[in-house]
Amino acid sequence: MVHNLDVIIKHAEQNCKSHGARLTIKRKQVLASLVQSEKALSAYDLIELYLTNFGEKIPAMSVYRILDFLENENLVHKLNLANKYVACSHITCSHDHGVPQFLICSSCNQVKEITINKSTIAELKSNVEQAGFHLVTPQLEMNCICHTCLSTAA
C-alpha cells in the first residue's frame, strides 16, 4: 500500500501531536496492522491479527475506541459498505487531496482509495439538495471486482 511503515507511523504521530492527541502503542499497532494489510479489516479481524502479531488479546471495545480515534485523526477510513476499515493512503502526504472514494472488491475485500475532484462532489451535493436531501458525507464506496479476482473467475 505505502512505502515505509516507520515513516507512516512517524507522520501519524506528528499528525496526532499537532492536534494535541497521542498515538499510544496500541493505537500504533492497530494502525500498523491496517497499513500492512492488503484488504479491508473488521474490528474482529484486527483482534485476531493483534493476537497473532503482538501475542496479546485486545478487547473488542478497545479496538472500536482505537478505530474511532484513528478515524477522527483521518488516519483510517471506515467502509460502511463492508463494515470494515482501511488505513488512509495519504497519511504521509502534506498536500490537499480530493474527496476519498473507495473501490471495494466484493470477492477478496481488497480496497483501493481514489480521489474524486471536489467540483464533481459539489455537483453531486447540488443534485442531492435539489432532490430534497442533505449530503451527510461525500464518501462513496463502490462495490467492485478487482482484476485479480475477475481473471481467476474466468
Side-chain angles (χ1 to χ4, degrees):
M1 177 197 245
V2 212
H3 33 299
N4 186 337
L5 182 61
D6 291 334
V7 170
I8 294 166
I9 297 298
K10 288 223 183 301
H11 274 274
E13 278 183 303
Q14 290 168 353
N15 178 64
C16 291
K17 197 176 280 187
S18 73
H19 297 109
R22 222 176 99 228
L23 196 63
T24 63
I25 290 172
K26 287 187 181 190
R27 290 171 177 170
K28 284 181 199 176
Q29 291 169 328
V30 169
L31 179 59
S33 297
L34 284 167
V35 168
Q36 292 173 315
S37 176
E38 293 184 11
K39 62 182 185 174
L41 299 174
S42 70
Y44 289 94
D45 293 334
L46 285 163
I47 290 168
E48 288 180 33
L49 201 55
Y50 198 91
L51 181 59
T52 302
N53 292 344
F54 306 109
E56 187 181 332
K57 233 180 160 182
I58 186 169
M61 285 307 300
S62 294
V63 172
Y64 281 113
R65 278 194 299 274
I66 289 169
L67 289 168
D68 282 344
F69 171 85
L70 295 173
E71 188 177 10
N72 289 333
E73 289 295 318
N74 298 313
L75 299 172
V76 304
H77 300 287
K78 181 178 183 183
L79 305 175
N80 295 313
L81 184 65
N83 196 26
K84 296 186 180 204
Y85 296 82
V86 292
C88 178
S89 62
H90 303 291
I91 292 175
T92 59
C93 297
S94 58
H95 59 277
D96 189 34
H97 290 273
V99 178
Q101 307 304 308
F102 301 94
L103 309 177
I104 306 167
C105 179
S106 58
S107 182
C108 71
N109 288 323
Q110 178 186 355
V111 177
K112 175 77 175 174
E113 181 178 344
I114 62 172
T115 55
I116 291 184
N117 190 303
K118 290 180 183 180
S119 64
T120 304
I121 294 299
E123 184 179 340
L124 178 62
K125 183 178 180 184
S126 174
N127 291 341
V128 168
E129 295 288 338
Q130 288 174 15
F133 287 82
H134 176 75
L135 184 64
V136 176
T137 177
Q139 176 174 307
L140 294 176
E141 300 170 18
M142 298 179 190
N143 193 359
C144 305
I145 300 284
C146 70
H147 289 296
T148 303
C149 291
L150 191 59
S151 64
T152 304

